[in-house]
Amino acid sequence: DTEVTQTPKHLVMGMTNKKSLKCEQHMGHRAMYWYKQKAKKPPELMFVYSYEKLSINESVPSRFSPECPNSSLLNLHLHALQPEDSALYLCASSLVDEQYFGPGTRLTVT
Amino acid sequence: EDQVTQSPEALRLQEGESSSLNCSYTVSGLRGLFWYRQDPGKGPEFLFTLYSAGEEKEKERLKATLTKKESFLHITAPKPEDSATYLCAAAGEKLTFGTGTRLTIIP
């Protein structure tokens, strides 16, 4: 099974809201990732967790806050977002280098 | 800095018309070259991993090959359901994606 699940599928939020995106995998992968993807662009790395510790933060604004409660779960907490943050947010996991992606959360900031 | 370049940006083929997509890479310490398929509004779907020059992988109508500087995704006798964006990514210090090739197969 190479499944990564993400919830919700769609999210609309105002600029003053606080919301969270969730990601789950049960493949025993020890690395988990958050990517942001704009239309007709490739995925852009935001954060990497390795063995539940944040190992890479690609200079992402503090209005995005990642959390890894355990080896199977990854959250992305959102607060005071801007309209330009509207995008497809992808979660991925890997054992070594081969990354498997979830279906994504389509986020719209109004 | 690691770079991955894909060409063409877009490709329209008639059903059954075979072709190849190109992925050129400049990556320090390449740990693997990956191909993904992405449908609109969905996450990338893993297709292949290639580790060393000369390696080939096949799946249905798709075959991926690797040289020291390029990878090719060959599509043989494509069907309309093969229409998608095909992403190439190279693993160096991190995973670097190309901008993708949007493939459209016309019935």
Side-chain angles (χ1 to χ4, degrees), chain A residues 37 42 58 97-99 102-103, chain B residues 31 36 38 43 46 49 94 98:
Chain A
Q37 187 176 27
E58 291 286 326
D97 293 313
E98 203 167 273
Q99 293 186 24
Chain B
R31 298 200 309 271
Y36 291 87
Q38 187 171 26
F46 172 79
T49 304
K94 63 180 182 181

Side-chain angles (χ1 to χ4, degrees), chain A residues 35 37 40-45 56 58 88 90 96-104 106, chain B residues 31-32 34 36 38 41-44 46 48-49 51 87 91 93-95 97-99 102:
Chain A
Y35 288 86
Q37 187 176 27
K40 298 188 178 181
K41 298 287 187 182
E44 180 183 333
L45 183 65
I56 295 178
E58 291 286 326
L88 182 67
L90 296 164
V96 185
D97 293 313
E98 203 167 273
Q99 293 186 24
Y100 292 89
F101 286 81
R106 170 67 61 190
Chain B
R31 298 200 309 271
F34 308 93
Y36 291 87
Q38 187 171 26
K42 299 191 176 180
F46 172 79
F48 303 110
T49 304
Y51 290 108
L87 292 166
E93 183 178 331
K94 63 180 182 181
L95 195 63
F97 281 89
T99 51
R102 289 193 310 280

Side-chain angles (χ1 to χ4, degrees), chain B residues 58-74:
Chain B
E58 283 189 69
K59 179 180 179 180
E60 295 181 358
R61 296 176 292 282
L62 299 176
K63 183 169 79 172
T65 62
L66 183 66
T67 72
K68 288 186 178 180
K69 295 182 179 180
E70 295 176 304
S71 178
F72 293 93
L73 185 66
H74 307 278

